[in-house]
Amino acid sequence: VHADVIAIDGPAASGKSTVARRVAAALGRLYVDSGAVYRAVAWEVNRRGIDPRDARAVSAAAARISIATFAGGGAVRFKVGGIEPGDALRTEEVNAAVSPVAAVPAVRALVTGLLREMPRFGSLVVEGRDIGTAVFPEARAKFYLEASPEERARRRHAESRAAGLSVSAVRDSIGRRDRIDSSRTVAPLSVAPDATVIDTTALSIDEVTDRILKADGIRTLPRPDAGPAARER
Ligand code: C5P
């Protein structure tokens, strides 16, 4: 069975989260934030006092982390050790640790495995870095969002999430993650050959969402949970 997935990839602060949430809501699909799962692993690595750059220690930690997924509120969510981490994943400590942690092959195998199980919850919109290239290469539709580094820093700074940092510090933090994410050996950030690239620099959230919703066939993609075929089963 083909996983029914719309993939939205791109670098940090390219607008993926907001757009992916809206696309999912408009199409009645579940939203998946794959970056949050990597952030949860990084958070756990920090919590255990492990150096995020110590790949062997990070691999060992990954083997001991238990992440439980469930569907609720229009999204696929997860708990780590029985807790939904929420805003704890958005700190600068997690920002600094997540890209080195996500470059460790054992971590990628762990998170990719969890993501590939998620289509059992329903049709998905999954945002990340390697969704269309590595996690769901067979995705029915793929989008790659990009924006200039200045615009991405400005957007992230405008969110309360960047609390306390200057625009240029946010720009540096995003730039460091981009470099690590694009240069790692396993599933680096890259544009899938069959992805539609949208430069969001001069576009509003609504305009980007609209472009995706108006893409060829996006509303008529076969959905395993709807339509005559499903009813006959
Ligand atoms: O999307 P977000 O910025 O929250 O992702 C945090 C980090 O998680 C990224 O910088 C990247 O290192 C990692 N990530 C990844 N593959 C994904 C999603 C996120 O490596 N599919």
Side-chain angles (χ1 to χ4, degrees), residues 9-13 16-17 33-36 38-39 90 95 98-100 102-103 108 115 127-131 135 156 177-178 180-181 184 187:
D9 287 303
K16 299 185 304 295
S17 302
D33 178 358
S34 66
Y38 286 100
R39 286 173 179 275
R90 306 290 157 187
N95 284 344
V98 66
S99 290
R108 300 215 69 77
L115 295 171
E127 63 137 312
R129 301 290 186 290
D130 64 338
I131 305 307
V135 182
R156 186 50 50 91
R177 281 206 280 142
D178 284 351
I180 301 172
D181 293 343
R184 67 183 174 223

Side-chain angles (χ1 to χ4, degrees), residues 13 21-23 25 53 60 91 95 109 118 121-122 143 159 182 220 227:
R21 261 180 233 281
R22 294 204 188 179
V23 169
R53 284 175 178 73
T91 64
N95 284 344
M118 290 183 183
F121 293 115
F143 299 90
E159 299 170 2
S182 306
T220 54

Side-chain angles (χ1 to χ4, degrees), residues 53-133:
R53 284 175 178 73
D54 181 346
R56 279 182 56 181
V58 170
S59 288
R64 280 180 277 118
I65 291 176
S66 93
I67 299 177
T69 59
F70 62 100
V76 180
R77 290 150 55 184
F78 62 89
K79 291 186 179 180
V80 188
I83 297 167
E84 254 192 301
D87 281 347
L89 302 181
R90 306 290 157 187
T91 64
E92 204 43 40
E93 288 71 39
V94 172
N95 284 344
V98 66
S99 290
V101 165
V104 174
V107 173
R108 300 215 69 77
L110 168 74
V111 177
T112 299
L114 285 170
L115 295 171
R116 287 187 179 148
E117 292 287 313
M118 290 183 183
R120 70 191 156 98
F121 293 115
S123 306
L124 308 176
V125 175
V126 188
E127 63 137 312
R129 301 290 186 290
D130 64 338
I131 305 307
T133 53

Side-chain angles (χ1 to χ4, degrees), residues 192-227:
D194 51 348
T196 300
V197 178
I198 304 177
D199 183 344
T200 73
T201 307
L203 300 177
S204 68
I205 300 277
D206 284 345
E207 288 170 324
V208 180
T209 307
D210 238 55
R211 277 202 199 182
I212 292 178
L213 292 176
K214 286 187 177 135
D216 265 359
I218 213 86
R219 287 182 182 276
T220 54
L221 292 176
R223 300 238 312 265
D225 57 342

